[in-house]
Amino acid sequence: MTSPQPLLSVRDVRTVYGDVVALDGVSFDILENEFFALLGPSGSGKTTLLRSIAGFETPTAGEIDLDGKNLLSVPAHKRPINLMFQSYALFPHMSVAKNVAYGLEAERLPKDEIASRVDDILATVGLSHLASRRTSALSGGQRQRVALARALVKRPRLLLLDEPLSALDRKVRAEMQSELKRLQHEVGMTFVVVTHDQEEAMSMADRVAVLEDGRLEQLDTPVGLYSKPRTRFVAAFIGTANLLEGRATAGGIDVPGIGELRAEHELAPGDAATAVIRPEDVTVTREPAALAGTVVDIFFLGGSTTVSVAVDGLADPVRCTVHAAVGLARGDVVGVSIAPERIVVVPAAGPTSPAALQEVSG
Amino acid sequence: MAERVAKRGGLGIAQIPFWLTYVFLYVPIIIVVIMSFNASDNLFVWSGFSLQWYPTVFQNSAIMEGLGNTLIVAAGATVIAVICGTLLAVGIQRYTRGGLIRAFATAPALLPDLLLAIGLLSLFALLQFTLGLYSVMIAHSVFATAFVTAIVLARLAHVDPSLEEASRDLGAGHVRTFLRVTVPQLAPGILAGALLAFTLSLDEFVIAFFTTAPTTPTLPIVIYSMVRFGVTPEINALATILLVVSVTAVLVAQRLTKFTENL
């Protein structure tokens, strides 16, 4: 990559609590002005990583640098990094404006500068009219905006957002999602969202780091993660996928029951492998095709319909996405075909080899 | 299975023990309050309503001196207890796990006064600390600290720990975080603890009796020495005043802790 020096550089970070390994050697770079996401299920180590970057925890081993300078020796309150807490952590004994001013007062800035910066940021997040309100009198969405304003007003080098949308109801979520993207462009700041919700990460971030069991599974753009997953975990975690177990062959993968599927891959022939097939890459026809099956379920989703087909020879039904009006019914015998160029073959299980990881993060 | 709706009560006569017990709790207090308004100076004869004993309380120099001493002791003990109790509670919450240290920190509130009194007296003797108002103040702050610790700990359980992290994240150091975020969050608990500490110190007898000098009696000690020559209506008036003060303080403290729980 020809990019300049990364903004934040995480190198071989390892955190061990007693005999629990929370982070098992994680490395990646975050670039300036990037909207980055740390995505993983609970227990994947993403919160530990977040707290290590914010300064509330110190890793057992490894380094974290900001702008090329060691960050771990800097205490939390001196790091040019701010965190928007999952619980928002607004100070209940202060007004909205006082909450937002708190961080600037801690910097001992002149009063008029504090006042004007607080006014500006409240206008940016659309809360000027609530400045003197108590935070307990606000709605969930408003509280989040206060938390966001309180962090942004500090003009941090990096803004961490811990599960920013999880506490919001569906409608406010969608609103806040586009709001966060807008703000990130507007203030030109580096955002790092930490979340277990793949939709949240995929819809907002420029790049997503997928964590599992304290390891970095894959770091890629949302499109890259979806179309070219490198591990079985990523394939299953991101979006919906049909996972067919088999063995790699020279030109594809041999799936017991249906035979060889042609696909490009880098595995050695004979390796245990999994074919990842997205539902939209499966075509269901009334005419006989490469595979035959029976419709077992139809889920109408409005714009599209997901059809479950029990394919002869496979234990689990194959899910495929079709356009709404296909006129299929349960019990119909159908032909199923899979676009070979869309099949991704990943190792069946186990961690990715270190070489593959380096290639991804480099 | 047919079930009858249970009625509160039942046989009237079965309620008598309950009501008798209840009366038993409050009769002594009621007698003191009523007798404080008795015009006669004979304790056992009611000869009409009078407020005359209330002014005499304030004209009695021994009582006034005792009251002065008691207020100094209570105020000092409260200040010490609030500071120590708050720090102790925050430290327990932050640095310890499990209930043992917690239990030991609040135990002096429940220990027999006599035990504390003898222990403190021995300690003062050992340190050759001159007995007087300061020794009582220190002695009272021991059990008062335990009360404040218990109340502040209860309050702490309701405070979101991420508030302190948020403060640090926003650039505030430990001291600023403690004063601007932790203490305001604990304020209702601290205030309730202070009121309770003050009230308890106000009428504490045993420990004060052991740890004060004869020249600096606190109010309960003054009252005790007066009562040895017979209870006068004046004492009843004084007791009633103390009752009003303590009950008010305890009620306010209770309101504050309730308020705390609802936050």
Side-chain angles (χ1 to χ4, degrees):
Chain A
M1 216 176 271
T2 54
S3 68
Q5 182 184 14
L7 175 69
L8 187 90
S9 166
V10 174
R11 289 196 310 277
D12 295 323
V13 166
R14 214 179 128 75
T15 300
V16 182
Y17 306 114
D19 48 7
V20 179
V21 180
L23 288 175
D24 192 8
V26 173
S27 303
F28 60 86
D29 289 341
I30 295 175
L31 309 177
E32 186 105 45
N33 290 338
E34 193 172 23
F35 201 133
F36 193 89
L38 281 169
L39 173 66
S42 63
S44 61
K46 61 185 192 304
T47 302
T48 304
L49 197 49
L50 164 99
R51 293 178 59 82
S52 304
I53 297 171
F56 301 132
E57 267 176 49
T58 308
T60 316
E63 288 302 328
I64 301 178
D65 288 355
L66 184 79
D67 286 322
K69 287 196 270 308
N70 182 312
L71 187 67
L72 293 178
S73 58
V74 182
H77 65 281
K78 295 204 171 129
R79 294 188 184 186
I81 291 174
N82 285 108
L83 167 61
M84 194 186 88
F85 288 77
Q86 186 176 9
S87 66
Y88 309 147
L90 300 179
F91 304 127
H93 56 290
M94 296 179 197
S95 67
V96 168
K98 274 278 165 198
N99 263 281
V100 176
Y102 187 88
L104 301 180
E105 283 169 5
E107 283 181 50
R108 295 175 206 282
L109 294 178
K111 275 214 161 63
D112 45 340
E113 189 188 339
I114 295 179
S116 74
R117 273 170 72 172
V118 169
D119 286 351
D120 286 353
I121 201 75
L122 284 179
T124 310
V125 299
L127 283 181
S128 300
H129 59 297
L130 298 175
S132 56
R133 232 21 119 70
R134 282 245 162 181
T135 56
S136 51
L138 303 179
S139 72
Q142 289 167 336
R143 294 165 67 84
Q144 175 156 55
R145 281 160 201 266
V146 178
L148 194 58
R150 189 176 66 173
L152 284 177
V153 79
K154 296 271 293 176
R155 296 176 187 161
R157 295 285 290 136
L158 190 90
L159 178 68
L160 297 165
L161 302 106
D162 189 6
E163 307 271 356
L165 304 179
S166 67
L168 302 175
D169 60 49
R170 232 185 146 70
K171 201 166 154 272
V172 188
R173 252 176 105 93
E175 221 170 83
M176 207 61 210
Q177 204 160 319
S178 47
E179 174 89 357
L180 282 175
K181 282 206 86 154
R182 175 184 73 82
L183 271 173
Q184 198 257 338
H185 278 287
E186 202 172 306
V187 297
M189 213 176 267
T190 308
F191 277 28
V192 178
V193 165
V194 176
T195 180
H196 68 277
D197 180 342
Q198 50 107 2
E199 261 183 55
E200 196 169 315
M202 301 286 279
S203 60
M204 293 194 292
D206 301 324
R207 287 196 306 158
V208 180
V210 182
L211 289 173
E212 158 70 349
D213 258 345
R215 299 175 139 273
L216 181 66
E217 288 275 319
Q218 188 169 348
L219 171 61
D220 211 332
T221 60
V223 173
L225 284 178
Y226 187 81
S227 57
K228 291 265 179 287
R230 289 184 154 267
T231 69
R232 193 179 188 283
F233 174 81
V234 172
F237 193 61
I238 307 286
T240 313
N242 296 297
L243 301 174
L244 307 180
E245 312 297 340
R247 296 221 163 258
T249 58
I253 175 170
D254 182 41
V255 179
I258 59 171
E260 191 181 28
L261 298 171
R262 304 216 49 85
E264 280 183 28
H265 62 78
E266 292 157 10
L267 301 180
D271 282 0
T274 303
V276 181
I277 301 156
R278 298 293 178 188
E280 63 272 23
D281 298 330
V282 182
T283 314
V284 178
T285 49
R286 296 200 161 275
E287 297 77 40
L291 301 168
T294 314
V295 175
V296 290
D297 245 323
I298 298 174
F299 306 95
F300 178 64
L301 302 170
S304 65
T305 300
T306 298
V307 181
S308 266
V309 180
V311 172
D312 300 344
L314 288 179
D316 296 320
V318 170
R319 292 162 69 87
C320 43
T321 302
V322 294
H323 288 292
V326 284
L328 288 172
R330 198 178 300 178
D332 285 1
V333 175
V334 290
V336 174
S337 50
I338 300 163
E341 71 280 6
R342 305 298 294 269
I343 298 174
V344 177
V345 178
V346 296
T352 331
S353 68
L357 269 182
Q358 255 167 23
E359 191 188 324
V360 177
S361 58
Chain B
M1 204 166 29
E3 253 181 287
R4 243 168 279 146
V5 177
K7 262 190 240 155
R8 238 168 240 257
L11 283 176
I13 209 162
Q15 296 187 8
I16 289 175
F18 160 67
W19 289 111
L20 275 183
T21 317
Y22 212 97
V23 168
F24 175 69
L25 281 179
Y26 281 93
V27 160
I29 295 167
I30 292 164
I31 288 177
V32 167
V33 173
I34 291 173
M35 283 307 168
S36 73
F37 299 109
N38 190 356
S40 157
D41 58 3
N42 186 325
L43 267 179
F44 308 104
V45 183
W46 178 264
S47 68
F49 180 84
S50 162
L51 286 173
Q52 59 168 317
W53 302 112
Y54 284 85
T56 38
V57 168
F58 295 96
Q59 281 150 23
N60 184 322
S61 61
I63 290 178
M64 284 297 109
E65 195 204 335
L67 180 65
N69 288 340
T70 288
L71 288 179
I72 293 170
V73 167
T78 302
V79 170
I80 298 173
V82 160
I83 294 171
C84 295
T86 304
L87 291 175
L88 202 54
V90 170
I92 286 172
Q93 176 84 2
R94 200 176 288 173
Y95 305 117
T96 71
R97 274 162 205 268
L100 208 58
I101 290 180
R102 191 176 285 242
F104 274 110
T106 52
L110 304 170
L111 290 178
D113 287 347
L114 209 53
L115 181 73
L116 272 183
I118 296 169
L120 283 159
L121 184 60
S122 319
L123 180 68
F124 290 138
L126 203 69
L127 298 174
Q128 297 188 323
F129 192 92
T130 316
L131 295 186
L133 286 188
Y134 289 114
S135 56
V136 187
M137 203 184 278
I138 292 168
H140 277 187
S141 60
V142 171
F143 70 82
T145 297
F147 276 100
V148 174
T149 307
I151 293 176
V152 174
L153 269 174
R155 169 72 188 149
L156 265 171
H158 296 272
V159 176
D160 179 1
S162 62
L163 290 181
E164 290 186 345
E165 285 185 349
S167 169
R168 300 239 295 127
D169 184 69
L170 291 166
H174 286 288
V175 175
R176 191 184 186 87
T177 297
F178 185 74
L179 295 178
R180 299 272 315 260
V181 173
T182 315
V183 170
Q185 282 306 297
L186 298 178
I190 294 173
L191 209 57
L195 279 168
L196 201 61
F198 191 83
T199 318
L200 290 169
S201 168
L202 215 56
D203 78 339
E204 200 287 325
F205 176 75
V206 177
I207 295 173
F209 191 71
F210 273 71
T211 55
T212 192
T215 50
T216 55
T218 59
L219 190 59
I221 297 172
V222 172
I223 296 173
Y224 170 70
S225 45
M226 286 171 73
V227 169
R228 278 194 299 182
F229 305 106
V231 178
T232 65
E234 195 182 357
I235 297 283
N236 288 332
L238 179 57
T240 306
I241 294 171
L242 286 176
L243 173 73
V244 171
V245 172
S246 325
V247 167
T248 311
V250 169
L251 285 181
V252 172
Q254 245 176 16
R255 279 305 290 264
L256 285 172
T257 30
K258 273 238 181 70
F259 173 67
T260 298
E261 278 157 22
N262 293 337
L263 257 184

